[in-house]
Amino acid sequence: MTSAAIADGFNLLPHRSRKRRALRRQRLAILAVASLAGCAAVGSVAGWDAFERMRLDDRRIALDATLRASNAALDEHARLLRVEAERRRAREAAQPLAVPRNRFLALLEALADAPPRTDVVLQRVTQRADEVELAALAPDSQTAARWLKRLENLRGVQSVEVVEMKRRAETRPSVKRDAVAPAIDRYEFTALVRYEAAGQKTVAAPAKASAKGEAPMNFRTSNKRNPQ
């Protein structure tokens, strides 16, 4: 009877086809929802990965900038250390050369500041490594000693010693013609101003003052007269 009804164009059980269509639509909906959920999950993961990559790139760029700044600071520090080391080496190399020059200039200033009426005539100044040789004329040994005594107080001077002194007669020009002027005895002396060696500490010098307030000088004299 059922087959007869279908053959005549009538479906006597329509609920079965409706169930099949509903089940098909439900499965399609579930599949679509699952697809959408999967796409959303994949998109969220891809978005998070892109965000993390951007954040890491920003941190890497910041770290690179910090490292570059640190390297520049280290390079500048190393350069300043090299410059300071070169300056220190230059000062150490120039100090031994500057000490004799400064001592010699101080000696010349002391000689220039001598009282005008000392009657001592400086003839020659010779500089050596740790000493200066002076050649001068004086009317007597006491005047020469007083003239040299001032040099003992200069900074760095270790001793002042007269190594040679000889008397010679000088004739002054006479005002009158055919008149013989009397000869004047003058003392020609050579003294050594010895300085302390580099790095040597100053040692307390012996008492320089005698009963008369004058320090004895070490003289080695020669009383030979120069031939006229």
Side-chain angles (χ1 to χ4, degrees), residues 94-219:
Q95 185 174 4
L97 302 177
V99 170
R101 172 182 173 274
N102 295 335
R103 289 174 173 178
F104 187 67
L105 292 178
L107 178 62
L108 292 182
E109 290 179 359
L111 295 176
D113 292 339
R117 297 186 60 82
T118 55
D119 296 330
V120 176
V121 179
L122 182 64
Q123 291 183 317
R124 186 180 71 255
V125 179
T126 305
Q127 183 184 14
R128 299 189 181 94
D130 290 328
E131 63 183 16
V132 175
E133 180 180 323
L134 302 175
L137 290 173
D140 50 55
S141 60
Q142 289 78 13
T143 303
R146 287 193 298 269
W147 186 75
L148 292 173
K149 181 177 174 58
R150 299 180 304 103
L151 305 180
E152 293 181 349
N153 298 324
L154 294 179
R155 184 178 180 180
V157 173
Q158 186 176 18
S159 64
V160 179
E161 179 185 357
V162 177
V163 296
E164 183 181 7
M165 178 175 285
K166 57 185 178 181
R167 186 175 59 188
R168 73 178 188 181
E170 291 185 352
T171 303
R172 292 184 179 178
S174 177
V175 179
K176 298 180 181 180
R177 292 183 179 180
D178 300 332
V180 179
I184 300 175
D185 288 339
R186 294 181 68 86
Y187 288 83
E188 183 179 5
F189 64 93
T190 303
L192 287 180
V193 180
R194 290 192 173 92
Y195 292 94
E196 299 172 355
Q200 180 180 355
K201 295 183 178 180
T202 304
V203 181
K208 295 183 179 180
S210 61
K212 296 181 180 180
E214 294 184 0
M217 302 293 292
N218 185 10
F219 288 96

Side-chain angles (χ1 to χ4, degrees), residues 25-104:
R25 287 194 297 270
Q26 184 180 3
R27 289 176 179 175
L28 290 174
I30 293 173
L31 182 61
V33 170
S35 300
L36 291 176
C39 292
V42 172
S44 62
V45 171
W48 179 257
D49 185 60
F51 174 75
E52 284 293 323
R53 188 179 296 110
M54 291 177 61
R55 188 172 63 86
L56 291 176
D57 289 341
D58 293 339
R59 291 186 61 185
R60 180 179 58 80
I61 293 172
L63 288 176
D64 289 341
T66 304
L67 288 176
R68 284 195 297 270
S70 300
N71 291 333
L74 290 176
D75 293 340
E76 181 66 16
H77 181 66
R79 187 186 69 81
L80 293 177
L81 288 179
R82 290 193 299 269
V83 171
E84 182 62 25
E86 291 176 359
R87 289 179 180 174
R88 184 168 57 252
R89 287 193 296 268
R91 286 195 301 267
E92 292 175 356
Q95 185 174 4
L97 302 177
V99 170
R101 172 182 173 274
N102 295 335
R103 289 174 173 178
F104 187 67

